[in-house]
Amino acid sequence: MSTEQWVPTTAHWGAYQATSDGDGGVRVRPHPDDPAPSPLLGNVPGIARHDTRVLRPAVRRGWLLGGPGPSAQRGRDEFVEVDWDTALDLVAAQLDRVRNESGNEAIYGGSYGWSSAGRFHHAQSQLHRFLNTIGGYTASRNNYSFGTSQVLLPHVVGSAAAVLGYADSWATVREHADLIVAFGGLPTKNLSVSPGGVSRHTSAAAAADPGVAVASISPLADDVPAGGRWYSIEPGTDVAMQLALAHVLLTEDLHDTEFLSRCCTGFDVFAAYLLGSSDGVPKTPEWAAEICGIAAADIRELARRMPTGRTLVTVTWSLQRTRGGEQPVWAGIALAAMLGQIGLPGGGFGHGYGSMAEVGADGPVLHLPTLPQGSNPVSSFIPVARIADMLLDPGAEFDYNGQRLTYPDIRLVHWAGGNPFHHHQDLTRLRRAFARPETVVVHETHWTATARHADVVLPATTTLEREDLGAGRRDTHLTAMHRVLDPVGEARDDYAILAGLAERLGVRQRFTEGRGARGWLEHLYEKWRAPLVQQGHDLPDFDIFWRLGEVKLPAMPEDPPLVRFRRDPERERLHTPSGRIELFSETVDSFGYEDCPGHPVWLPQERRAPLHLIANQPPTRLHGQGDVGAVSRDSKVAGREPITLHPDDAAARGITDGTVVRVFNDRGACLAGARLSDRVRPGVAVLPTGAWFDPQPDPRRPGQDLCAHGNPNVLTEDIGSSRLSQGCAGQRTHVDVEPATEPLPEVAVRTPPPLRRG
Ligand SMILES: Nc1nc2c(c(=O)[nH]1)N[C@H]1C(S)=C(S)[C@@H](COP(=O)(O)OP(=O)(O)OC[C@H]3O[C@@H](n4cnc5c(=O)[nH]c(N)nc54)[C@H](O)[C@@H]3O)O[C@H]1N2
Ligand SMILES: Nc1nc2c(c(=O)[nH]1)N[C@H]1C(S)=C(S)[C@@H](COP(=O)(O)OP(=O)(O)OC[C@H]3O[C@@H](n4cnc5c(=O)[nH]c(N)nc54)[C@H](O)[C@@H]3O)O[C@H]1N2
Ligand SMILES: [Mo]
């Protein structure tokens, strides 16, 4: 029987309300003030309770019997369930042994991943704080989302935040912009999501129907908003189109020379490249049309239109999640600089409209309550997407942002709140990499592929089973996240798990500071509130906040850095060597990287299979989270992840709608369910990320596995975006597709791995 106590909570897909269904499960409904609630809400009941919840601590049999050591059995072995004391004793003993024998550098604690919303129980922050109290760990830098831009932007505009942290709100864009030129389109499917959530989905509502003319450049018609024009582009060729647009502005004298000389440096070098005086190739619309598949006349017409009003040039994050990913971002900035509107409302350069709810959201830029993580005495780190290289090749050197670094020798991997067997590329290679350490510890709510590749799996609660404070960056409200359910099985909060380890390592007091979880919530809230109240903001104390369920975040009016810079470039210098926007960077040039020279360039891409595969964000879930929920389950085709093919490409291969296909290239293969649509460009296939990795013998390739479920990361290449940024390059790859032949392996990943009671 339902108790009908609806309480507030939030998730990466936004604030909502939940109630217990009286039967151990949960019911959900949108926040009453949300103009565009997320469809992902429909996954929640199915994730909270599912057969794949981890119920008890579990230890891989081979590791339990044989002790720590490299093992190719990870991901293939059965598990033995043990009690909490046994599990925590085992993990604490290994942490202690590894730090004593090999130093804390041998512990990899990067632990990348989205975990859940909630400022206190954020698993990765908890783990970092814990590892810092026991002497530190090898860390990771940057993210999978826009890791390439995080390294590039400081060289071009002085900081990543100048672009990523201060996007104009959609309200400002709608008021001032006449035209949005959107490379990567404005896919609304992405806009219900933001790290920490948004309380009101204003971006999703605005992007779906912007009320501004939009030129949407993408291989997919679904990326085009209402009223927008679709420029169907060949994947990976946006830079050619951007250069041609710039070429027209330059040769027809439509560029803003005043802005370029007052606020930028290096335009002369870039202009010489556009004209072909530096490489013999003028970047004309005719040149670009051959590469990108958009008619020269269309490019010319668009270029001539851009300077006639306020124009926002946007680039989705997807465009930089690829080899040479710096180029479309830098070229987009150069294009916006030539229009001279950077720093004007609704104009200039935007990065991530169409990628995430926070970009274009209304919320203030301000600090939220945050768990202090302490400091890490270990200096070794990797750019986050170099995980497999590090595990496979300790001691090897690699390039990163002008430095030559060395991979540390990792003995123990500790992961909480992430799923590398979702997020990383070339999962067959990642399996080899995960065979190398002596011990892999994973905290998980569910039996994800990463949990299945661990030696010790510690069951974590979900947000619904605990209390927290929730808000995203650029959010409008802070949510009091109430508890709805009892912990499932013997699951514990990550905080409690780590406190148990800290106790065994003699640092419990340092880790907990003597507080329980509720004590921390009050402490973090009050510490955050005090200075704001001093500044005159009206914020209730913790008890009232908790009863109200949410508070409005105070506005912090501050002009964005690029607005201030535009007004007075001499006094508001950017943190670049020249103090200006660098269209040519002497610093980047001095690194001598052929895959990221000193100004934006066209870098042709090699291709070894006939179809482009776009492995974009799934419309039906958050990454791998929610794959067992109703929305994701309902989207499957013949039980597999849907792959969308153009009808011509399907016909040429004898593939019909609704049938199972085998998607393959020289790295790997997976099964998927075919969907035919002329809303994808011919020659392009779309297989979103996030179907739980389900490796099983490939009937076509003896001795090798395929993913029976449709995870595209068995196909993507595990390579850095460039020597500069070493970012994730997983957005696209090349494949072929064929009808699958019987017998078809069943999807096995929706039931737990073999478990025995210890
Ligand atoms: N091919 C390809 N690959 C990609 C991308 C792409 O475009 N193409 N995109 C990349 C991008 S941008 C990203 S951000 C990554 C995302 O990759 P991840 O962030 O690793 O993906 P998630 O599925 O969100 O993984 C989070 C995990 O945390 C677990 N979890 C949730 N709450 C808790 C908790 O409270 N405690 C603990 N211990 N665990 C919890 C969930 O069950 C889930 O398994 O993927 C990347 N991978
Ligand atoms: N529903 C949902 N929303 C999400 C997420 C999720 O898992 N589910 N994940 C969130 C996360 S972590 C992130 S980082 C953001 C990511 O935001 P993005 O990286 O921007 O999102 P994607 O959906 O991967 O890609 C956006 C679009 O880029 C287009 N595209 C791909 N290649 C090319 C190309 O070469 N040229 C052009 N012009 N277009 C191309 C594709 O058609 C794709 O639909 O999304 C966030 N939003
Ligand atoms: Mo991301």
Side-chain angles (χ1 to χ4, degrees):
M1 269 248 314
S2 167
T3 49
E4 280 294 332
Q5 275 268 337
W6 290 92
V7 298
T9 186
T10 192
H12 297 309
W13 45 89
Y16 66 98
Q17 299 177 344
T19 188
S20 154
D21 69 0
D23 201 20
V26 72
R27 291 194 291 139
V28 300
R29 67 186 186 197
H31 191 292
D33 299 339
D34 192 342
S38 170
L40 305 192
L41 205 48
N43 282 326
V44 173
I47 334 180
R49 289 275 170 193
H50 191 265
D51 288 350
T52 55
R53 281 296 301 263
V54 185
L55 298 177
R56 280 170 286 276
V59 184
R60 186 172 67 78
R61 191 161 172 273
W63 189 91
L64 191 62
L65 299 180
S71 171
Q73 279 303 100
R74 289 199 181 97
R76 297 175 169 93
D77 215 346
E78 61 180 14
F79 284 86
V80 181
E81 293 184 325
V82 298
D83 60 40
W84 270 108
D85 278 339
T86 306
L88 293 174
D89 287 349
L90 286 168
V91 174
Q94 289 314 312
L95 285 165
D96 200 38
R97 183 183 68 83
V98 169
R99 68 174 171 167
N100 290 331
E101 287 178 7
S102 314
N104 282 68
E105 184 183 288
I107 300 172
Y108 181 63
S111 189
Y112 182 77
W114 269 55
S115 181
S116 289
R119 304 290 304 168
F120 173 67
H121 287 291
H122 185 246
Q124 191 191 98
S125 311
Q126 287 284 352
L127 181 65
H128 290 169
R129 176 180 167 87
F130 163 72
L131 290 174
N132 285 337
T133 64
I134 65 159
Y137 60 97
T138 288
S140 62
R141 287 229 183 128
N142 309 325
N143 58 31
Y144 275 71
S145 311
F146 44 76
T148 297
S149 293
Q150 283 176 302
V151 179
L152 173 73
L153 288 171
H155 293 293
V156 179
V157 291
S159 76
V163 165
L164 290 161
Y166 293 86
D168 280 343
S169 73
W170 271 105
T172 304
V173 173
R174 293 167 96 153
E175 185 184 340
H176 296 278
D178 301 299
L179 172 67
I180 304 173
V181 179
F183 293 94
L186 292 174
T188 47
K189 71 172 175 65
N190 289 341
L191 300 186
S192 63
V193 163
S194 179
V198 293
S199 330
R200 315 286 187 270
H201 286 99
T202 49
S203 301
D209 191 4
V212 179
V214 179
S216 182
I217 298 128
S218 163
L220 309 184
D222 285 347
D223 292 343
V224 186
R229 170 161 172 195
W230 182 24
Y231 291 77
S232 167
I233 195 167
E234 182 75 0
T237 66
D238 297 73
V239 178
M241 179 164 173
Q242 291 168 315
L243 295 173
L245 292 166
H247 186 273
V248 176
L249 296 180
L250 176 64
T251 54
E252 300 191 4
D253 210 13
L254 299 171
H255 57 308
D256 185 339
T257 51
E258 190 272 336
F259 181 84
L260 287 166
S261 64
R262 194 169 65 92
C263 297
C264 303
T265 181
F267 179 66
D268 50 335
V269 183
F270 183 58
Y273 174 73
L274 289 177
L275 295 173
S277 25
S278 51
D279 67 349
V281 182
K283 311 301 175 302
T284 61
E286 285 71 19
W287 166 81
E290 287 285 308
I291 296 169
C292 72
I294 292 176
D298 288 344
I299 297 177
R300 200 163 267 121
E301 181 203 281
L302 182 61
R304 288 174 183 157
R305 185 166 163 210
M306 290 168 74
T308 60
R310 185 63 55 81
T311 296
L312 179 65
V313 177
T314 69
V315 174
T316 49
W317 298 342
S318 55
L319 263 60
Q320 53 86 68
R321 210 176 303 114
T322 178
R323 281 293 286 163
E326 288 87 353
Q327 306 312 317
V329 178
W330 207 349
I333 293 173
L335 197 50
M338 290 175 76
L339 294 171
Q341 299 178 1
I342 292 175
L344 293 179
F349 179 72
H351 194 20
Y353 289 92
S355 298
M356 214 173 256
E358 68 188 17
V359 180
D362 303 321
V365 179
L366 94 178
H367 294 289
L368 296 166
T370 302
L371 178 71
Q373 293 187 15
S375 62
N376 185 357
V378 173
S379 59
S380 66
F381 74 92
I382 54 164
V384 68
R386 303 282 35 89
I387 168 97
D389 288 359
M390 171 184 71
L391 294 177
L392 287 168
D393 213 358
E397 292 190 0
F398 64 100
D399 289 302
Y400 173 68
N401 203 12
Q403 297 168 273
R404 197 83 188 140
L405 300 171
T406 306
Y407 290 121
D409 188 355
I410 298 301
R411 303 296 167 104
L412 188 151
V413 173
H414 197 157
W415 220 296
N419 187 355
F421 282 88
H422 158 75
H423 64 235
H424 198 57
Q425 286 57 65
D426 197 346
L427 295 181
T428 310
R429 183 168 188 259
L430 189 68
R431 289 188 111 189
R432 287 204 303 279
F434 262 66
R436 298 295 297 267
E438 294 166 355
T439 299
V440 177
V441 180
V442 170
H443 305 197
E444 251 296 351
T445 56
H446 291 74
W447 280 106
T448 60
T450 299
R452 289 166 208 249
H453 283 81
D455 299 314
V456 184
V457 182
L458 303 174
T461 53
T462 67
T463 50
L464 296 170
E465 295 147 52
R466 59 195 187 216
E467 298 176 337
D468 213 331
L469 313 170
R473 308 180 286 224
R474 306 299 302 266
D475 206 348
T476 50
H477 294 74
L478 180 73
T479 302
M481 300 167 65
H482 286 238
R483 180 186 291 115
V484 189
L485 298 175
D486 291 332
V488 168
E490 294 174 19
R492 292 185 182 176
D493 300 347
D494 292 290
Y495 176 63
I497 297 171
L498 295 166
L501 291 174
E503 161 117 51
R504 283 162 176 80
L505 294 166
V507 291
R508 185 183 177 98
Q509 178 61 26
R510 263 181 74 197
F511 178 66
T512 65
E513 297 179 22
R515 293 188 192 94
R518 182 46 105 79
W520 269 105
L521 300 190
E522 291 195 34
H523 171 72
L524 295 179
Y525 179 87
E526 293 298 348
K527 212 171 95 188
W528 167 79
R529 181 176 82 111
L532 291 168
V533 167
Q534 249 175 18
Q535 290 161 33
H537 295 293
D538 185 20
L539 280 170
D541 68 19
F542 182 82
D543 290 335
I544 296 180
F545 156 67
W546 198 255
R547 257 182 288 132
L548 288 173
E550 65 177 24
V551 290
K552 196 160 169 31
L553 293 170
M556 298 207 117
E558 186 195 82
D559 280 336
L562 289 172
V563 172
R564 285 183 274 134
F565 164 71
R566 180 197 178 88
R567 225 182 277 140
D568 190 349
E570 290 309 318
R571 287 186 51 192
E572 300 279 351
R573 288 169 60 86
L574 300 178
H575 299 293
T576 55
S578 63
R580 301 178 179 195
I581 299 171
E582 304 218 341
L583 305 182
F584 172 77
S585 161
E586 275 176 28
T587 310
V588 174
D589 187 61
S590 74
F591 298 154
Y593 299 146
E594 67 294 341
D595 54 7
C596 191
H599 61 82
V601 294
W602 162 243
L603 298 169
Q605 312 241 327
E606 105 178 277
R607 176 160 169 178
R608 292 209 301 270
L611 296 172
H612 291 279
L613 184 76
I614 293 184
N616 59 357
Q617 306 293 341
T620 53
R621 58 186 172 259
L622 175 70
H623 316 134
Q625 298 191 48
D627 193 30
V628 295
V631 180
S632 182
R633 289 291 297 273
D634 289 351
S635 75
K636 306 276 170 174
V637 173
R640 329 272 162 168
E641 186 65 14
I643 184 171
T644 311
L645 298 164
H646 190 275
D648 296 349
D649 295 317
R653 291 167 174 77
I655 292 167
T656 50
D657 193 84
T659 58
V660 180
V661 294
R662 182 171 174 278
V663 192
F664 62 99
N665 63 18
D666 50 13
R667 270 179 297 281
C670 67
L671 301 180
R675 276 274 172 257
L676 310 192
S677 167
D678 59 7
R679 297 177 65 74
V680 303
R681 182 181 166 84
V684 174
V686 186
L687 180 61
T689 62
W692 283 7
F693 176 49
D694 194 358
Q696 300 195 37
D698 183 348
R700 291 275 175 85
R701 277 195 275 205
Q704 295 186 40
D705 287 336
L706 55 58
C707 172
H709 191 189
N711 187 313
N713 277 327
V714 294
L715 303 159
T716 51
E717 188 179 9
D718 182 8
I719 190 165
S721 51
S722 74
R723 290 164 69 194
L724 182 83
S725 56
Q726 299 286 6
C728 167
Q731 172 75 192
R732 287 190 310 271
T733 189
H734 299 112
V735 297
D736 206 346
V737 183
E738 62 187 7
T741 44
E742 304 285 341
L744 295 174
E746 286 300 319
V747 175
V749 75
R750 290 192 206 105
T751 51
L755 291 170
R756 280 203 210 169
R757 290 308 283 264

